[in-house]
Amino acid sequence: MEQQLKELKALLTEVYDLEHANALLHWDQSTYMPKGGAVARGRQMATLGKLAHEKMTDPKIGRLLDDLVPYGESLPYDSDEAGLIRAAHRKYEKATQVPADFMAEFTTHTAETFHVWTEARPADDFSKVQPYLEKTLELSRRMADYFPGYEHIADPLISFSDEGMKASTLKKLFADLRAELVPLVKRVTDLEPVDDSCLKQTYAEEKQRLFGEQVIQRLGYDFSRGRQDKTHHPFMTKFSLGDVRITTRFRENDLGEALFSTIHESGHAMYEQGIRMEYEGTPLASGTSSGVHESQSRLWENIVGRSRGFWEYFYPELQRTFPDQLGGVSLDTFHRAVNKVQPSLIRTDADELTYNLHVMIRFDLELALLEGKLEVKDLPEAWRERYRQDLGIAPADDKDGVLQDVHWYADTIGGVFQGYTIGNILSAQFYETALKAHPEIPDQIRQGEFGTLRGWLTEHIYRHGAKFTADELTERATGSQLSIDPYIRYLKGKFGELYR
Amino acid sequence: MEQQLKELKALLTEVYDLEHANALLHWDQSTYMPKGGAVARGRQMATLGKLAHEKMTDPKIGRLLDDLVPYGESLPYDSDEAGLIRAAHRKYEKATQVPADFMAEFTTHTAETFHVWTEARPADDFSKVQPYLEKTLELSRRMADYFPGYEHIADPLISFSDEGMKASTLKKLFADLRAELVPLVKRVTDLEPVDDSCLKQTYAEEKQRLFGEQVIQRLGYDFSRGRQDKTHHPFMTKFSLGDVRITTRFRENDLGEALFSTIHESGHAMYEQGIRMEYEGTPLASGTSSGVHESQSRLWENIVGRSRGFWEYFYPELQRTFPDQLGGVSLDTFHRAVNKVQPSLIRTDADELTYNLHVMIRFDLELALLEGKLEVKDLPEAWRERYRQDLGIAPADDKDGVLQDVHWYADTIGGVFQGYTIGNILSAQFYETALKAHPEIPDQIRQGEFGTLRGWLTEHIYRHGAKFTADELTERATGSQLSIDPYIRYLKGKFGELYR
């Protein structure tokens, strides 16, 4: 079995080499590529994607897994070998259960849809994408049907990024969360709005960059195994465990934009940088799910990065960096500004309290579409209706409504949005557990020391990579299943204090 | 045949997609990669190289060529189809005639040798690399033997980068050139040395960069299809005809370093950018040989970039950029400084007149090694001896002697150096012909207009890509075979005037 495992690893490493090379093509496309390179780059990425898929569906891998899966089951569940075989098996099943022809049709269709969306959105013309989205819905259902035996048609799609998570679980969880959030948001927004004008002055980009990089270095992002560059939309990407990069964008009239996106992406990156180096080139060398990944970006961005203690440490330095802008602004004013709650139309600009309402609207709508309870043509109105209900405001147009996010126009309908809210929920659950083990963490944060927190996260989450599923990891790390209670406690505590 | 040609193109485009993705991995490794990415990057590049080679040696390509080669021969020689089939056939032969096992052995050996060289050079210890170099010599001979029927054992190796060029031709050509150069260099160096101290002041990097980029934009380098970044060693690289990048390096105490390397690399890049866009993804989308490529970098760097007319246009702007350093330096003094002739030990720092002597020393030594007339253990002393003869100076150590260039320690012995001198020779031959057709070119250069020259080069060289071999291209463009006469006329004219 030693030999077979070695063979399997070698075959998988080739797949990852292609996938990571492709990730570099994508990173370069977003950072430094001159515009003349666009056409060929698209083709090159398609070629590498196709070759990686061919390599991943190599029947040799299937034959090796036929022997290795039972062997893996005979090993201790926690062993690296068992975990590697489980993760490899999942990746193989996912790659082989969808026929190559269908995958090609789907990829071509979403590429076209994306292109049409880039024109429909600025033109505020939903009718342009409607037929494409109808086709996407049909293809999403067919995609799910390649994984029969599901309870809800969204389950296979959700499982692509949040292995094992089910629509029924999420529906319940999200309904409970919504029941808490909607009145909480109402209470806060009935009060006088927070003044965040201190963030909206002019902040030189280069100084913003230096400050942000200093912050994340202090948090624990390792620049010898990463770097930060500028892109239109911030993201984290990885070419190996030794090369985990992040990107950000700057707005000179909004100090929060780059700073919090930098911290957010560094949270994703610290997760990947924290995986055991021995896993390099294997299916274990990756965060385990979209939800757990998001828990780390949100933990560092919000729970840590928007906390009072964090700014007790960093605010004096920020004031020294921007004396004209912040010299006369108190820590209290600044801390309230970075935590301003205000219902808005755009998900990515949303505050910590309203953010999940945006996500849950999308999640419910995509379930309704997949269930056949909602037709694509009625989506724009359904969108407005839910915004009115949950946030008390609704977009005047579709541009800031149903056309807002790229997701439905570049992927399946269903299977992506849930990760954002699972992440928020988990961030509080993990943090609360870390605090129980190390009650000194808040004091340390006040001193600019993050090693104990990062150490706990590394020990219980990061180092395992994809060895355990999100559920297993949550259970092991926190002693219980995914629960909204810590998150509600956290939000009520924080915003109760901020808004008395 | 239409269908077969289409299939061939599709297969080759996949190979190029892999090769160009690999070129991006390499570019990133030299520009932005954090040091933690090194190990995985090496593996990723090896994987992509192996897959590209597997794809290129696909028997399907062989079968298609079996039909297409005779078909190509029936087409007009100048047609794109015929050229494409010829170029594809050459690439296929080169890829298939060397067994994969041997190629793997060779690659492993050169990687090791390179690694040993990186330690042996700073330690000035030739004995460390000697056994590796002996093995390299043996492997280089075996490599050549996979292409039987040669006249000289170096011929197949030379043909890898300078298709069709032979050792016998080069020996004669280089001997003639040397006979002219050695006395010319002596005459010049007997005179009082030129004062180039104006170049050795302090020049801020960012201003150097902006000036250099302004220059090459004016020459015709298209920044919408390229960009310039910093690397330890400057190079040109291409990811598609729409994305041809260059790199440079700056020395704040040497104005010439970045400026002329930028112009040099932009010459390579303009060649690639000038290839017909219809050739994208085919074997025609590439410069035709190492010699022709080098002719373009040297033409723009030396014949244009170190000419008096060029500086009549650009010097006032350079003075405005560096008023403290150059405000009081006359055009004459500056122009003489950038053309200073001084025998030195380092090839890459050599002036226009002595440069070829460095190259020819290496070329003669590698032929002697391949012919068995020189043993590796005697190479250091042979090196010193030839330097004394040709340049009147010899290195005190091996670091600046036989260990100087990476080439022998990272590739075959034989087959690389000749391109540099062929390039210099051809640069003058092409330029003289362009001038015959357009005698107004020097006046235009004085006005900062380069369109006529670039137009002639595009028409006669660039746009053809690899459709014609270097010999064919030279004959078509200049009406005669490769000849040193224009080069000698150019050098005698230029340095005669500079040194009276």
Side-chain angles (χ1 to χ4, degrees), chain B residues 106 125 331:
Chain B
F106 179 76
D125 186 356
L331 172 60

Side-chain angles (χ1 to χ4, degrees), chain B residues 26-66:
Chain B
H26 179 266
W27 172 87
D28 179 71
Q29 186 186 42
S30 315
T31 49
Y32 296 115
M33 189 185 77
K35 69 179 190 316
V39 175
R41 182 58 52 87
R43 192 195 62 230
Q44 290 159 353
M45 285 165 47
T47 298
L48 264 69
K50 197 187 75 150
L51 292 178
H53 186 261
E54 278 172 20
K55 291 266 167 199
M56 190 61 223
T57 55
D58 187 337
K60 259 188 281 177
I61 294 186
R63 285 194 296 272
L64 287 166
L65 284 170
D66 287 344

